[in-house]
Each structure stands twice: as C-alpha cells, then as structure tokens.
C-alpha cells in the first residue's frame, strides 16, 4: 500500500506448485487439492522491479466457517471507511482545508456466487455520535445506469453489492459517498469510492476466423514464413486469464514429415521447420491450431481451436519434356499459314500457370525463317507453322531442332534435361506451279504504222516444275484491246494482225499493253500471265487540222481579225511549228482574205478588202507540219461575216445563222423526219391487219350468236319479242293472263305450268291470334308440297318463271320451219377444213 502507483511490484509464492500470485496481488490456487482442518501457511514475496526492495507476508489459509456461526465476527471484521475530518473556521477568515485522504480501491471478484446482497465496506463519520446522520452513494451502478448494483444502508452506512459483476462489461465503478443530517444538510464532504472488478478466467479464446488460408512456395527452406493466426480473449489481457499461447495440434497429411510447420506460441506466426515441400506430391496441408489462455497452462487454461489451410504454390521446378524425340510433318510447296506438325510436351507443374505454359524456340534448321512455332493455350502443344513459301525445287526437306521452355525461368538448381529438346523432320510436297513469264512485263520499242503479219517479238514463259513430266507450255492471248496482235501457241512468237497506230484510243502515253497466258497440262492445270508493253514511236502520219472550224468576223476591214490554231495528233518533231497559207484557187480567197502566222501553232485570218457582204464563207487554209517529210492538209474554216456595232459585236447573227444551217443539223432533221414516217407507216399496217382479222371472224360467227357475248348480253327477258313494255305481270302466274287456247296443240315448253286443278290454300283471318300463326304456316307448307302446279316445274332448267313462250320458237330446234332448211349450204365445202363439220351437217342433202 505504501508503493506509488507508478512503481511495478512483482509477487511470488513460496509454494508455486500450490499457489500463485497475479500482478494485481490476487492469490490463486494453482491446483485442486483438499485442505486439512489445520490452517495452511505459505509466504508471499513482493519485490520492487526498480529498487529491488523486497517485502514478505505470511498467508494463512483455513476452511471458511459457515455464515451463521461467524456472522457476528465477520460483521466486526468489515472494513470501515471514515470521512476525513474538516478544519474548523475562525471568524470570517477562510483557512486552507487539509487535503482529502486517498481511499484505496475496493477489489471485488466478478461472477461471485453470493449470497447477495454482499457487504463490502462500512462508511462512517465521526459526527455520528453527536448527530443523527444519513448515508448515501451516487454514481453509475448506484443511482445512475446501471442502477441498483450497489446499495447503502442509510443508517449504518453499510455498502453492499446486489448481484454478480462482469468485468467484461464494466471493469470498475466510481461512486461518491455522502453524509447528511436529518434535515438534509451536508455534514461531511463527499468521498470517492472506486470498486475494481477482479477478472476471473470465464472466457475462452476466440479466433478471428475459424478457417485461415495461407500459401507457401514448394521447395521452401526451413524458417520460411507462411501466415499468422490470431485469437482474442475477452478476459484481462494484462492478467494470466487473457494471456494466450498457440500450438499445432495436428497436420494432415503427415508426409513427408509430420512436423512440416511450427507456430510461434505468442504471436501465432506459422513457419516451416522441415524441407521437402513438393506441390507435385502434396498440394495442401491442413493444420489444427489451438489457442489456450493462462499462458497455455493445459490444466487451468481455457482453449479453442481453428483450422489453417496451407496451399503449396507451384514453382517452376519441372521443365517441359517432349513426348517424342523426333516429330514428322509435311507441307505442300508455296503454302503459308499451314500447321505442319504438333509438338506435344509434358510438364508436372500446375497447368495454365507461367511455370506450365510452354514456349518453343527453334535452335537450328531454319536459317531463312520459314517456320514459326505457336503454343496452343489449351493443350500446351507446339504448332509448327509455315510463314514463308517453300519451293520444292530448292528445298525438299527441313530438319528443325526445337527446344521447349516455360514462361518463367526454372527454379534455382533445376536444369533442362535432354528431353526438353526434339527434332522436327518436315517433307516438302511437290505441286504443280504456275508458269511465269520472264521478264514480266516485257517492254519493246516499235515505230507505229507497222503493217500486219510482221513479227514483233517472242514472249515465252518458264515452268518452275522441273521434276514433273509435263509437255511444252501453250500460249494464248488474254487481253488485246485494239486486236493488233496474235501469239503462236507453241513458240510464243507475237505477230501483228493490224497496223499499229500510236494515235489509237487504246494507247496511253505512247504505251500499248497486251496480256498473254501460258498454260501447262499438269494436275491440276496451271497458268500464268505476262504483260507485253509496246512503246510506240511516232511517225508523221497525221496531217494538221485547223481549230476551231468556225469563226465570226465583221464585214468591214476594222475590226476583222480571227485567231486560229493548228492541231496535230502527232507529237514532236512531227507536229509544230506549223506553216499557214491560203490556196491559189479559187482566186477570190487570196483576193478577199489574208493569213499571218503569229506563233508556231497560231495564225490570224483577216479581210484583205475593205468590205465583204455579210454571209457564210468557206475559207480553205493549207497547214503544213514540221515532220520529215512534212505533211500538209487543207482545212475548211467556215467564217460567218456579219454586221458589227461599234464594239465589234455582230448585230445580224440570227439571220446569218438561219441562212447558214450546218450539214450536221440538216442530217439530224432528215433523220427525225424519216423515223416519224416509219412510225406512221407501221401504225397503218397494224390497223389494216387488225381489220382483216375482224372480217375473218365475222364470216364464221354472227355477232348476234357469238357465245362470248352471252355472258353479258341476255337480250329479251320478258314474255317474247312482243313484250316490249316490260309488263311485270309476266312474272306472275301467267295462266290468268295468257289463255291456253293460243298455245299450239300438243306442244308445251318444259318451263310451262302444268295443267291441273287449283289446290285449296288456307285463308288467313283478318286479325289472327298470335298462336294461330304457326298453324297457318304449316298448313300452307303442306298445300304447296301437294300442289303439282307450283313452280319450279323443272328445277334443272327453270330458275324463275319468265313467260309462257315466244313466237320465235325454240333456239334448240334445227327442224323449225324458220331454220332455213331450203337454203343451199354447198359453199361451205369451199371454206376449208375448219368448216368441214358444218358442210357435212348442212351440205349433205337429206341425210
């Protein structure tokens, strides 16, 4: 008690096997044992850690007597807390009060079993002898939440606890004790009381996670850190109740050693203690970790367990190995992007990791880089692929040396075995290749104007297939826009079949292009094309022409100059400069006109006389080029002479133009007239042909009897030709209108009403009862069913009654008196086979 709070004191027991002392001075039984009736004594030593000063005390331990026997003794042994005495006041001057006493805290174990209320201390004032006092306590646990834990007897000042305490909820309580008289006046200054809840080992350690996951690379050396597990204890961490210790209870699997890992018992760090971690053999270890409080005491400490799962990660300790030492493949020549061989390897490392993924590298056999090896991401196979064309005639076989590696280097101390290198033998297959022209394109120079049947050059191709049995190549022409050339199918000799013309529309920049085809008879047949370029040299084969071919000038001398230009389809030196002159004949040309050259390609035409009557004049101009020999031509310049204003513009252009209609316009007008006449003539011929067809049809069928019109024309719908007023009574029963006496005896139409006695139909009353309507209808129905005179008389022929007949007679009878039986029909035999049936029916006599 005399030690300062900052000084640290260490306690020790003289009997550590039976008793131990905590840092807070609480004495515990270190084991379970039976106490004898005699008191047990042992010594507790206390030592200051800084000054090494020591104290000791004798502790006597005896069996606790019953509460009834020693209640009075215990009551006398309860500690008293006395209010400190206040200093008296003298007159009106205030004196300094003596410093309050520091009352030591009250230590109360948690989870006490009682009985409750349990007395703690007695609070007393020295003035209770002269005054009647009342005691009370305030603060959390008394009159503040949680309330009612501590109570005080207001008369005796006895402070008690009412229920067990839990240090993990509240570790200490700070109360204030008060003493007042019966009138409520404060008698003593309040004193502070601190109640510390002494921790008991009532909580097990709890791991932060029930399952801990960690990794460790395979092949790790002993002492390699793996992971850390952590557990917490709700008890006081500064006391033994909250001091945890870790240990490994089990390891699964137990290969290659049952103790591959160890754990730091204080920090929970797991490290390796044995070598031999191999992922290819054991990929995962499961450890059961135990945490125990009381510094790991297995007898008194509380424990809990968790699981630590340690995954052995892969390192590149297994190099890839080829399944065969030699692989074979084949590829047709001139093929690219073709897989010719699959290289298979095995790797014991974890699939689809950098330590398993294979990389293939060619170490020999491909100096020109015609092959590459790609890796299949799924199977890890090496795909040998052709990236450059291979010529069978140059290389028939390749032998490649290939090495397999991983994306990451091998682990330290691991080397590639011989199985990491293999040989790939690739055979090249000969295929029929296309012939090729040499050179391609082929350029020749030739003067234009070369006539037909002249040999130009020989354009031949070569067949790269030297080891195939094939006949000679065949040549043919593929493209010849102007159709000037032909090629010999055997020799490839090219000959002209028309005159070469540099000024042709198919010649561009003096160059003419023709394409030829060379074909072999291989399987399959192949062909190649070659282009012949003919550079045509110009000769002076085109005379110059005047441009434009029409001009306008004034009829007076001033202003009357017209600029003209000479054009030539040839090129230098067969073109300009040009010479311009007027012909000698007719003499009026030179008399009326004059021409002056103003440059190599241009000249100026003007009037020689002062006045020339308005009109259109054809002025011939002789133009000569500079070729060797020169070539000249006479071009007609159509000059329109007109009256001009002061500005030199024509004022009567319309009259001159109308009088001088050009030849092209006249031809166009004539063509339009001819086309119009042809159209009119065709229309007339078509109309006449149509009339003839109509006349021929009328000879065969009378328009009145044409069956095609019967669909639309019904003719008379009444009682005959005499019924023109459309008497609607004809649609009723006709026997009341038309007497039977007018009918011929023995003749009756099928749609006439038969002659029978009139049946008796029921007569409906003027005002029938609604119930009689059904009877009336049924009686009328029966009468109609039994009436032979009721229509229809013949349902197959008559659809409605349309009269009693016609004076024209029946159309279906050919024996009628009005049928023309006396007429001669022999002329039908002269009409041809189409009327043979009618001739037999009418022209055969009585038969």
């Amino acid at each position: 008690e005399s030690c300062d709070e900052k000084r640290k004191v260490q306690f020790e027991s003289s009997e550590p096997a039976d008793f131990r002392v905590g840092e807070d001075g609480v004495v515990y039984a270190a084991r379970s044992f039976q106490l004898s009736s005699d008191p047990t004594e042992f010594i507790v030593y206390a030592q200051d850690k800084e000054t090494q000063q020591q104290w000791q005390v004798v502790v006597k331990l005896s069996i606790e007597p019953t509460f009834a026997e020693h209640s009075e003794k215990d009551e006398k042994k309860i500690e008293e807390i006395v209010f400190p005495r206040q200093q008296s006041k003298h007159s009106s001057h205030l004196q300094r009060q003596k410093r309050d006493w520091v009352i030591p805290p009250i230590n109360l174990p948690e989870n006490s079993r009682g009985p409750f209320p349990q007395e703690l201390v007695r609070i007393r004032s020295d003035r209770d002898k002269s005054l009647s006092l009342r005691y009370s306590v305030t603060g959390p646990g008394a009159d503040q939440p949680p309330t009612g834990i501590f109570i005080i007897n207001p008369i005796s000042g006895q402070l008690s606890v009412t229920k067990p305490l839990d240090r993990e909820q509240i570790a200490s309580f700070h109360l204030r004790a008060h003493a007042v008289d019966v009138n409520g006046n404060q008698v003593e200054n309040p004193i502070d009381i601190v109640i510390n809840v002494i921790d008991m080992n009532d909580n097990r350690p709890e791991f932060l996670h029930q399952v801990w996951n960690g990794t460790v690379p395979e092949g790790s050396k002993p002492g390699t850190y793996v992971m850390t597990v952590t557990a917490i204890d709700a008890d006081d961490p500064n006391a033994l109740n909250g001091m945890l210790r870790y240990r490994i209870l089990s390891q699964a699997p137990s290969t290659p050693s049952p103790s591959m890992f160890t754990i730091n018992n204080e920090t929970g760090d797991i490290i390796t203690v044995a070598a031999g971690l191999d992922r290819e053999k054991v990929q995962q270890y499961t450890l059961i970790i135990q945490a125990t409080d009381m510094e790991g005491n297995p007898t008194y400490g509380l424990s809990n367990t968790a699981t630590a799962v340690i995954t052995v990660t892969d390192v590149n300790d297994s190099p890839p190995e080829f399944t065969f030492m030699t692989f074979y493949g084949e590829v047709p020549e001139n093929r690219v992007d073709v897989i010719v061989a699959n290289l298979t390897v095995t790797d014991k490392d974890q699939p689809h990791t950098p330590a398993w993924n294979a990389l293939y590298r060619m170490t020999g056999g491909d100096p020109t880089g015609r092959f590459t090896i790609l890796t299949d991401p799924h199977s890890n196979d090496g795909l040998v692929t052709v990236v450059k064309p291979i010529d069978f005639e140059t290389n028939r076989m390749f032998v490649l040396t290939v090495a397999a590696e991983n994306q990451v280097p091998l682990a330290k101390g691991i080397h590639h075995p011989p199985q990491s290198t293999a040989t790939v033998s690739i055979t090249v297959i000969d295929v029929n290749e296309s012939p090729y022209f040499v050179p391609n394109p082929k350029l020749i120079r030739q003067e234009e104007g070369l006539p037909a049947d002249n040999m130009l050059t020989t354009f031949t191709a070569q067949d790269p297939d030297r080891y195939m049995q094939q006949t000679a190549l065949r040549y043919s022409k593929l493209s010849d826009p102007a159709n000037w050339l032909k090629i010999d199918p055997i020799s490839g000799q090219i000959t002209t079949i028309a005159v070469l013309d540099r000024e042709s529309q198919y010649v561009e920049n003096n160059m003419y292009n023709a394409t030829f085809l060379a074909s072999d008879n291989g399987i399959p047949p192949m062909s190649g094309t070659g282009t012949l370029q003919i550079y045509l040299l110009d000769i002076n084969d085109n005379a110059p022409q005047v441009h434009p071919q029409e001009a306008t000038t004034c009829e007076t001398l001033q202003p009357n100059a017209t600029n003209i230009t000479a054009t030539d389809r040839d090129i230098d030196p067969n073109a300009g400069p040009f010479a311009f002159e007027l012909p000698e004949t007719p003499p009026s040309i030179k008399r009326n006109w004059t021409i002056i050259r103003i440059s190599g390609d241009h000249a100026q035409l003007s009037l020689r006389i002062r006045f020339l009557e308005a009109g259109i004049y054809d002025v011939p101009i002789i133009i000569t080029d500079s070729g060797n020999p020169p070539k000249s031509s006479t071009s007609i310049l159509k000059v329109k002479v007109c009256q001009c204003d002061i500005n030199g513009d024509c004022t009567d252009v319309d009259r001159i133009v109308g009088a001088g209609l050009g030849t092209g316009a006249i031809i166009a007008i004539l063509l339009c007239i001819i086309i119009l006449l042809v159209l009119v003539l065709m229309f007339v011929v078509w109309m006449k042909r149509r009339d003839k067809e109509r006349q021929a049809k009328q000879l065969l069928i009378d328009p009145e009897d044409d069956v095609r019109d019967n669909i639309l024309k019904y003719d008379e719908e009444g009682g005959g030709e005499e019924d023109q007023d459309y008497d609607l009574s004809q649609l009723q029963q006709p026997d009341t209108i038309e007497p039977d006496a007018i009918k011929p005896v023995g003749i009756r139409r099928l749609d006439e009403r038969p002659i029978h006695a009139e049946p008796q139909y029921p007569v409906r009353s003027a005002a029938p009862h609604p119930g009689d309507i059904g009877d009336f209808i049924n009686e009328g129905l029966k009468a109609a069913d039994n009436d032979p005179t009721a229509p229809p008389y013949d349902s197959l022929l008559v659809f409605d009654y349309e009269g009693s007949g016609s004076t024209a007679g029946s159309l279906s009878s050919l024996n009628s008196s009005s049928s023309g039986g006396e007429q001669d029909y022999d002329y039908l035999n002269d009409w041809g086979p189409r009327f043979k049936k009618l001739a037999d029916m009418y022209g055969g006599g009585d038969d």
Side-chain angles (χ1 to χ4, degrees), residues 549-567:
Q549 297 181 354
E550 295 181 358
T552 302
T553 186
C554 298
E555 60 185 3
T556 59
L557 186 61
Q558 294 295 335
N560 65 349
T562 300
N563 293 328
I564 60 174
T565 303
T567 60

PDB file of all heavy atoms in Angstrom, residues 549-567:
ATOM      1  N   GLN A 549     -13.179  25.179-136.273  1.00  0.00           N
ATOM      2  CA  GLN A 549     -13.577  25.083-137.675  1.00  0.00           C
ATOM      3  C   GLN A 549     -14.606  26.131-138.060  1.00  0.00           C
ATOM      4  O   GLN A 549     -14.994  26.192-139.224  1.00  0.00           O
ATOM      5  CB  GLN A 549     -14.130  23.681-137.967  1.00  0.00           C
ATOM      6  CG  GLN A 549     -13.103  22.581-137.787  1.00  0.00           C
ATOM      7  CD  GLN A 549     -13.658  21.205-138.092  1.00  0.00           C
ATOM      8  OE1 GLN A 549     -14.855  21.067-138.340  1.00  0.00           O
ATOM      9  NE2 GLN A 549     -12.784  20.204-138.077  1.00  0.00           N
ATOM     10  N   GLU A 550     -15.050  26.932-137.147  1.00  0.00           N
ATOM     11  CA  GLU A 550     -15.978  28.022-137.431  1.00  0.00           C
ATOM     12  C   GLU A 550     -15.471  29.269-136.738  1.00  0.00           C
ATOM     13  O   GLU A 550     -14.899  29.199-135.656  1.00  0.00           O
ATOM     14  CB  GLU A 550     -17.390  27.680-136.960  1.00  0.00           C
ATOM     15  CG  GLU A 550     -18.033  26.513-137.683  1.00  0.00           C
ATOM     16  CD  GLU A 550     -19.431  26.236-137.178  1.00  0.00           C
ATOM     17  OE1 GLU A 550     -19.858  26.940-136.235  1.00  0.00           O
ATOM     18  OE2 GLU A 550     -20.110  25.353-137.721  1.00  0.00           O
ATOM     19  N   ALA A 551     -15.689  30.415-137.424  1.00  0.00           N
ATOM     20  CA  ALA A 551     -15.260  31.701-136.877  1.00  0.00           C
ATOM     21  C   ALA A 551     -16.233  32.779-137.314  1.00  0.00           C
ATOM     22  O   ALA A 551     -17.019  32.592-138.250  1.00  0.00           O
ATOM     23  CB  ALA A 551     -13.837  32.029-137.308  1.00  0.00           C
ATOM     24  N   THR A 552     -16.171  33.888-136.640  1.00  0.00           N
ATOM     25  CA  THR A 552     -17.053  35.030-136.939  1.00  0.00           C
ATOM     26  C   THR A 552     -16.195  36.274-137.067  1.00  0.00           C
ATOM     27  O   THR A 552     -15.283  36.497-136.254  1.00  0.00           O
ATOM     28  CB  THR A 552     -18.082  35.214-135.825  1.00  0.00           C
ATOM     29  OG1 THR A 552     -18.837  34.010-135.671  1.00  0.00           O
ATOM     30  CG2 THR A 552     -19.033  36.349-136.138  1.00  0.00           C
ATOM     31  N   THR A 553     -16.521  37.107-138.090  1.00  0.00           N
ATOM     32  CA  THR A 553     -15.784  38.351-138.295  1.00  0.00           C
ATOM     33  C   THR A 553     -16.727  39.399-138.839  1.00  0.00           C
ATOM     34  O   THR A 553     -17.845  39.092-139.285  1.00  0.00           O
ATOM     35  CB  THR A 553     -14.605  38.138-139.250  1.00  0.00           C
ATOM     36  OG1 THR A 553     -13.841  39.346-139.312  1.00  0.00           O
ATOM     37  CG2 THR A 553     -15.089  37.776-140.645  1.00  0.00           C
ATOM     38  N   CYS A 554     -16.305  40.620-138.762  1.00  0.00           N
ATOM     39  CA  CYS A 554     -17.128  41.731-139.243  1.00  0.00           C
ATOM     40  C   CYS A 554     -16.931  41.935-140.747  1.00  0.00           C
ATOM     41  O   CYS A 554     -15.895  41.578-141.311  1.00  0.00           O
ATOM     42  CB  CYS A 554     -16.778  43.018-138.501  1.00  0.00           C
ATOM     43  SG  CYS A 554     -17.102  42.928-136.715  1.00  0.00           S
ATOM     44  N   GLU A 555     -17.949  42.537-141.397  1.00  0.00           N
ATOM     45  CA  GLU A 555     -17.896  42.726-142.843  1.00  0.00           C
ATOM     46  C   GLU A 555     -17.012  43.881-143.248  1.00  0.00           C
ATOM     47  O   GLU A 555     -16.673  44.031-144.425  1.00  0.00           O
ATOM     48  CB  GLU A 555     -19.313  42.936-143.388  1.00  0.00           C
ATOM     49  CG  GLU A 555     -20.003  44.144-142.787  1.00  0.00           C
ATOM     50  CD  GLU A 555     -21.451  44.267-143.257  1.00  0.00           C
ATOM     51  OE1 GLU A 555     -21.890  43.362-143.990  1.00  0.00           O
ATOM     52  OE2 GLU A 555     -22.135  45.240-142.879  1.00  0.00           O
ATOM     53  N   THR A 556     -16.604  44.670-142.326  1.00  0.00           N
ATOM     54  CA  THR A 556     -15.702  45.783-142.623  1.00  0.00           C
ATOM     55  C   THR A 556     -14.280  45.389-142.306  1.00  0.00           C
ATOM     56  O   THR A 556     -14.024  44.352-141.683  1.00  0.00           O
ATOM     57  CB  THR A 556     -16.102  47.024-141.801  1.00  0.00           C
ATOM     58  OG1 THR A 556     -16.041  46.696-140.420  1.00  0.00           O
ATOM     59  CG2 THR A 556     -17.515  47.467-142.156  1.00  0.00           C
ATOM     60  N   LEU A 557     -13.383  46.248-142.703  1.00  0.00           N
ATOM     61  CA  LEU A 557     -11.962  45.919-142.545  1.00  0.00           C
ATOM     62  C   LEU A 557     -11.543  45.963-141.083  1.00  0.00           C
ATOM     63  O   LEU A 557     -10.722  45.143-140.645  1.00  0.00           O
ATOM     64  CB  LEU A 557     -11.123  46.886-143.381  1.00  0.00           C
ATOM     65  CG  LEU A 557      -9.621  46.608-143.439  1.00  0.00           C
ATOM     66  CD1 LEU A 557      -9.367  45.242-144.047  1.00  0.00           C
ATOM     67  CD2 LEU A 557      -8.904  47.691-144.228  1.00  0.00           C
ATOM     68  N   GLN A 558     -12.070  46.883-140.359  1.00  0.00           N
ATOM     69  CA  GLN A 558     -11.697  47.019-138.956  1.00  0.00           C
ATOM     70  C   GLN A 558     -12.943  46.935-138.097  1.00  0.00           C
ATOM     71  O   GLN A 558     -13.938  47.633-138.394  1.00  0.00           O
ATOM     72  CB  GLN A 558     -10.994  48.369-138.723  1.00  0.00           C
ATOM     73  CG  GLN A 558      -9.647  48.510-139.404  1.00  0.00           C
ATOM     74  CD  GLN A 558      -8.612  47.563-138.878  1.00  0.00           C
ATOM     75  OE1 GLN A 558      -8.738  47.126-137.732  1.00  0.00           O
ATOM     76  NE2 GLN A 558      -7.615  47.236-139.686  1.00  0.00           N
ATOM     77  N   PRO A 559     -12.989  46.151-136.983  1.00  0.00           N
ATOM     78  CA  PRO A 559     -12.007  45.074-136.704  1.00  0.00           C
ATOM     79  C   PRO A 559     -12.472  43.791-137.360  1.00  0.00           C
ATOM     80  O   PRO A 559     -13.641  43.503-137.373  1.00  0.00           O
ATOM     81  CB  PRO A 559     -12.056  44.965-135.190  1.00  0.00           C
ATOM     82  CG  PRO A 559     -13.453  45.378-134.830  1.00  0.00           C
ATOM     83  CD  PRO A 559     -13.934  46.358-135.879  1.00  0.00           C
ATOM     84  N   ASN A 560     -11.534  43.007-137.906  1.00  0.00           N
ATOM     85  CA  ASN A 560     -11.943  41.801-138.610  1.00  0.00           C
ATOM     86  C   ASN A 560     -10.971  40.646-138.469  1.00  0.00           C
ATOM     87  O   ASN A 560     -11.023  39.702-139.227  1.00  0.00           O
ATOM     88  CB  ASN A 560     -12.118  42.125-140.098  1.00  0.00           C
ATOM     89  CG  ASN A 560     -10.785  42.525-140.730  1.00  0.00           C
ATOM     90  OD1 ASN A 560      -9.808  42.759-140.026  1.00  0.00           O
ATOM     91  ND2 ASN A 560     -10.765  42.595-142.060  1.00  0.00           N
ATOM     92  N   ALA A 561     -10.025  40.690-137.496  1.00  0.00           N
ATOM     93  CA  ALA A 561      -9.038  39.613-137.333  1.00  0.00           C
ATOM     94  C   ALA A 561      -9.647  38.430-136.585  1.00  0.00           C
ATOM     95  O   ALA A 561     -10.413  38.609-135.637  1.00  0.00           O
ATOM     96  CB  ALA A 561      -7.814  40.133-136.587  1.00  0.00           C
ATOM     97  N   THR A 562      -9.306  37.195-137.035  1.00  0.00           N
ATOM     98  CA  THR A 562      -9.767  35.944-136.401  1.00  0.00           C
ATOM     99  C   THR A 562      -8.554  35.066-136.110  1.00  0.00           C
ATOM    100  O   THR A 562      -7.769  34.762-137.011  1.00  0.00           O
ATOM    101  CB  THR A 562     -10.735  35.196-137.313  1.00  0.00           C
ATOM    102  OG1 THR A 562     -11.865  36.042-137.573  1.00  0.00           O
ATOM    103  CG2 THR A 562     -11.201  33.918-136.655  1.00  0.00           C
ATOM    104  N   ASN A 563      -8.405  34.647-134.857  1.00  0.00           N
ATOM    105  CA  ASN A 563      -7.291  33.788-134.464  1.00  0.00           C
ATOM    106  C   ASN A 563      -7.679  32.324-134.665  1.00  0.00           C
ATOM    107  O   ASN A 563      -8.763  31.894-134.287  1.00  0.00           O
ATOM    108  CB  ASN A 563      -6.928  34.015-132.998  1.00  0.00           C
ATOM    109  CG  ASN A 563      -6.359  35.406-132.764  1.00  0.00           C
ATOM    110  OD1 ASN A 563      -5.701  35.969-133.658  1.00  0.00           O
ATOM    111  ND2 ASN A 563      -6.612  35.965-131.581  1.00  0.00           N
ATOM    112  N   ILE A 564      -6.753  31.583-135.266  1.00  0.00           N
ATOM    113  CA  ILE A 564      -6.976  30.155-135.484  1.00  0.00           C
ATOM    114  C   ILE A 564      -5.776  29.401-134.932  1.00  0.00           C
ATOM    115  O   ILE A 564      -4.678  29.963-134.775  1.00  0.00           O
ATOM    116  CB  ILE A 564      -7.200  29.836-136.975  1.00  0.00           C
ATOM    117  CG1 ILE A 564      -5.962  30.253-137.778  1.00  0.00           C
ATOM    118  CG2 ILE A 564      -8.449  30.506-137.500  1.00  0.00           C
ATOM    119  CD1 ILE A 564      -6.037  29.848-139.236  1.00  0.00           C
ATOM    120  N   THR A 565      -5.983  28.097-134.651  1.00  0.00           N
ATOM    121  CA  THR A 565      -4.946  27.234-134.079  1.00  0.00           C
ATOM    122  C   THR A 565      -4.854  25.972-134.897  1.00  0.00           C
ATOM    123  O   THR A 565      -5.876  25.423-135.328  1.00  0.00           O
ATOM    124  CB  THR A 565      -5.277  26.877-132.621  1.00  0.00           C
ATOM    125  OG1 THR A 565      -5.427  28.079-131.865  1.00  0.00           O
ATOM    126  CG2 THR A 565      -4.182  26.032-131.994  1.00  0.00           C
ATOM    127  N   ALA A 566      -3.624  25.501-135.103  1.00  0.00           N
ATOM    128  CA  ALA A 566      -3.398  24.242-135.809  1.00  0.00           C
ATOM    129  C   ALA A 566      -3.188  23.131-134.787  1.00  0.00           C
ATOM    130  O   ALA A 566      -2.466  23.311-133.797  1.00  0.00           O
ATOM    131  CB  ALA A 566      -2.187  24.355-136.726  1.00  0.00           C
ATOM    132  N   THR A 567      -3.846  22.005-135.012  1.00  0.00           N
ATOM    133  CA  THR A 567      -3.695  20.831-134.148  1.00  0.00           C
ATOM    134  C   THR A 567      -3.191  19.661-134.970  1.00  0.00           C
ATOM    135  O   THR A 567      -3.514  19.530-136.161  1.00  0.00           O
ATOM    136  CB  THR A 567      -5.036  20.459-133.491  1.00  0.00           C
ATOM    137  OG1 THR A 567      -5.983  20.158-134.509  1.00  0.00           O
ATOM    138  CG2 THR A 567      -5.567  21.601-132.633  1.00  0.00           C
TER     139      THR A 567
END
